[in-house]
Amino acid sequence: MAKSQTRERERGRERERVMGLDSVGALAIHEILSKLGPTDTAVAGCLNKRFRDWAADESLWSKFCADELDLSSPQDPLGNPTPTFKVAYQVWREAFGMYPWPLVRRVKRCWGRLKSWLSANFPEALATLRKGASEGEIKSLENNLKVKLPLPTRLLYRFCDGQDMKRDEVTGRILGSPLGLIGGYSFNDHLVNVYLLPLHLVMRKTLVIRKTQSTVLQRGFGRNSIFVASSSYRQKTFFFNCENGQLYVCTRNWLAIDGGAIPCVPKELIGLVPDYGGSQQQDAMLLWLEEHGHRLHSGVIRLHKEGKIRGINLFPEKAPHCSIAITNGVKVRASAVLVPEFSNLHDESEKFYFSYSMRMSLLPEGCCIYGMSFASCQLYRRHLIFRANDIVVSDINREAVIGKFPLLRPGEEEFVYESCTPLSSSSGSVEGCFTFVPGREL
């Protein structure tokens, strides 16, 4: 009897609380529900008819979809339109109900940033991105390869199943396509452009490697590793370890029994154990793509066009990753990237191979020497000093660059030359100077 009375008193107090809110204006209720979020708004809609109407307000669900899913129109995960934003939100939650919701939002945000940059700057590469893989397709890969993908990587493939690899005919011969999402670099006759592989190629290439190089794969990358990205022209290969969540890039001697791979992400950043919120569960694949998106949006890396070829160039364009010097009106920008496919971890003199890019241009006011302005200037000599761990390993003092004496004029495109050098350590530097001869006086 006492328990029954207690329950009745609790129901009475609840009715009083609801009646109190019921008397609040619709605008205030709308503001309250928008602060509560979608889950609590749905619960509030169960209180009574008025709250059900308030909780069904389309502007509320439009806000929730925009805040959590970056949706500007109601659509399902495959891009199909839905009747309302509320329906869209429900479909998204049902489609990804087996994953931590904060992690779903984080992965969607990662892909959203990449796609928005591609849409604005590189639409031909955007067209190569595939629709997200189904749970069945992911399960098929896991069963065939006997691996278990970490949740972040599963979600990455749920949102986008890699790229369709295409080959373009350029100047009469077939080259690797420059449309890789990860991008690349070129120097001398070496061209690299990296694609993110779709699941069916991940499975096929991994099975081939396991069949021909099973011992190498297990010792170098781990027995639960899969082939996830590669260049379509010159070989540059990435393996993902499904057990520890690390991403590895192959070096020149990766087929050696004792391995030849470089981790792409500091292991301290990898966390495969779910945290309280779920958003900080992260593996190297997610961190790698997030950093790539950040570099694209911030302008650290950009598109580069050479002849008919246009692609994402991994040579950094901004400080501190790019050094810039202006002397007498001549501007020189320099940056470098590691070339793992040339690096040899078993040879101390060529342990790390780097490619460097030098970009030269003349400012609008021309070349200024001793108060005199010249409309052009021409490169005569270069003097470059390479160091590994502050020890000089190479000193180059020669005429020209790659056999050329470029003539610089104001307003013209940068002259770019790229080359490479081996170092014994991952820490190194290059410094030096270029000598120019002034042209016609202004």
Side-chain angles (χ1 to χ4, degrees):
M1 186 69 175
K3 289 183 179 179
S4 177
Q5 290 174 347
T6 300
R7 283 196 297 269
E8 187 60 35
R9 283 195 298 270
E10 288 175 352
R11 292 194 191 98
R13 284 194 292 268
E14 182 62 27
R15 282 194 294 271
E16 289 174 3
R17 285 194 292 269
V18 171
M19 288 176 63
L21 281 175
D22 212 33
S23 63
V24 176
L27 187 60
I29 292 295
H30 184 282
E31 184 66 20
I32 292 170
L33 293 178
S34 70
K35 301 294 184 185
L36 287 176
T39 302
D40 290 333
T41 294
V43 172
C46 300
L47 291 175
N48 59 30
K49 185 179 182 306
R50 292 193 68 186
F51 269 92
R52 186 164 60 250
D53 293 341
W54 284 329
D57 189 331
E58 185 69 349
S59 65
L60 275 176
W61 292 98
S62 172
K63 180 181 184 301
F64 296 150
C65 284
D67 291 347
E68 296 196 6
L69 297 168
D70 296 320
L71 294 180
S72 57
S73 61
Q75 57 183 251
D76 66 17
L78 295 178
N80 302 314
T82 60
T84 64
F85 278 104
K86 184 176 182 181
V87 171
Y89 190 87
Q90 290 171 333
V91 171
W92 276 86
R93 290 303 295 253
E94 289 169 5
F96 295 96
M98 69 289 294
Y99 298 99
W101 187 243
L103 183 60
V104 174
R105 294 170 57 188
R106 179 177 174 182
V107 172
K108 186 180 186 304
R109 197 160 50 241
C110 172
W111 273 118
R113 283 176 59 80
L114 288 168
K115 290 180 178 180
S116 68
W117 187 89
L118 292 174
S119 177
N121 300 279
F122 203 15
E124 56 268 45
L126 178 65
T128 69
L129 296 186
R130 298 165 57 90
K131 288 186 176 181
S134 66
E135 283 295 317
E137 289 169 325
I138 293 175
K139 197 67 179 174
S140 174
L141 176 135
E142 291 181 328
N143 290 338
N144 279 281
L145 299 182
K146 294 180 174 56
V147 298
K148 185 73 174 176
L149 296 182
L151 291 186
T153 292
R154 285 180 69 96
L155 276 170
L156 285 169
Y157 279 104
R158 279 296 307 273
F159 279 99
C160 178
D161 184 15
Q163 291 182 269
D164 282 319
M165 298 184 71
K166 300 179 179 179
R167 298 178 69 83
D168 293 338
E169 190 167 343
V170 182
T171 62
R173 61 194 182 110
I174 300 297
L175 297 179
S177 171
L179 303 180
L181 172 65
I182 307 306
Y185 38 80
S186 64
F187 56 91
N188 303 333
D189 63 344
H190 188 72
L191 171 64
V192 162
N193 195 269
V194 176
Y195 269 74
L196 187 65
L197 300 182
L199 289 180
H200 71 276
L201 286 182
V202 170
M203 190 185 310
R204 184 192 309 170
K205 288 178 176 289
T206 301
L207 288 173
V208 169
I209 292 294
R210 285 183 178 180
K211 185 177 180 180
T212 59
Q213 303 289 342
S214 60
T215 302
V216 171
L217 187 64
Q218 288 187 30
R219 293 191 180 183
F221 310 98
R223 62 185 180 86
N224 290 319
S225 295
I226 58 175
F227 194 120
V228 292
S230 72
S231 173
S232 59
Y233 182 47
R234 295 287 187 176
Q235 189 68 7
K236 183 176 182 179
T237 305
F238 293 82
F239 281 91
F240 178 69
N241 186 311
C242 299
E243 189 171 358
N244 64 18
Q246 181 61 274
L247 181 70
Y248 296 93
V249 62
C250 296
T251 61
R252 189 171 75 195
N253 58 319
W254 74 276
L255 291 176
I257 292 298
D258 51 352
I262 299 173
C264 297
V265 172
K267 65 179 181 179
E268 295 79 12
L269 297 180
I270 298 172
L272 300 183
V273 179
D275 65 333
Y276 176 74
S279 65
Q280 292 307 311
Q281 188 176 1
Q282 54 195 23
D283 58 25
M285 279 283 284
L286 177 56
L287 291 166
W288 188 52
L289 287 175
E290 284 180 330
E291 175 62 19
H292 190 57
H294 169 72
R295 289 188 170 217
L296 288 170
H297 275 274
S298 63
V300 172
I301 55 177
R302 300 174 185 169
L303 281 182
H304 176 70
K305 185 175 182 180
E306 185 174 348
K308 296 181 180 180
I309 299 176
R310 203 164 79 113
I312 296 173
N313 193 314
L314 295 182
F315 285 111
E317 299 276 352
K318 278 187 172 183
H321 309 285
C322 176
S323 298
I324 301 173
I326 300 175
T327 307
N328 296 332
V330 177
K331 181 178 181 180
V332 178
R333 301 188 304 129
S335 58
V337 293
L338 175 68
V339 184
E341 65 273 20
F342 278 8
S343 301
N344 186 346
L345 300 182
H346 300 278
D347 185 338
E348 285 302 320
S349 64
E350 297 186 350
K351 197 168 188 178
F352 298 97
Y353 231 94
F354 288 90
S355 176
Y356 55 90
S357 174
M358 304 285 185
R359 286 88 85 186
M360 307 170 189
S361 61
L362 193 58
L363 297 183
E365 56 268 27
C367 178
C368 303
I369 303 176
Y370 302 121
M372 301 173 63
S373 295
F374 298 86
S376 64
C377 62
Q378 189 168 24
L379 179 67
Y380 174 53
R381 297 189 68 88
R382 76 188 188 277
H383 183 196
L384 301 177
I385 300 171
F386 297 88
R387 288 184 172 88
N389 283 333
D390 296 326
I391 299 173
V392 175
V393 294
S394 180
D395 189 328
I396 300 172
N397 193 349
R398 299 172 187 165
E399 290 187 353
V401 291
I402 55 174
K404 296 180 179 180
F405 296 87
L407 180 66
L408 305 183
R409 296 186 180 91
E412 293 187 350
E413 290 186 359
E414 291 178 313
F415 172 79
V416 180
Y417 95 90
E418 291 151 346
S419 190
C420 58
T421 187
L423 294 179
S424 59
S425 70
S426 59
S427 175
S429 65
V430 55
E431 64 176 288
C433 63
F434 296 95
T435 301
F436 286 84
V437 176
R440 182 171 54 85
E441 187 176 348
L442 286 174

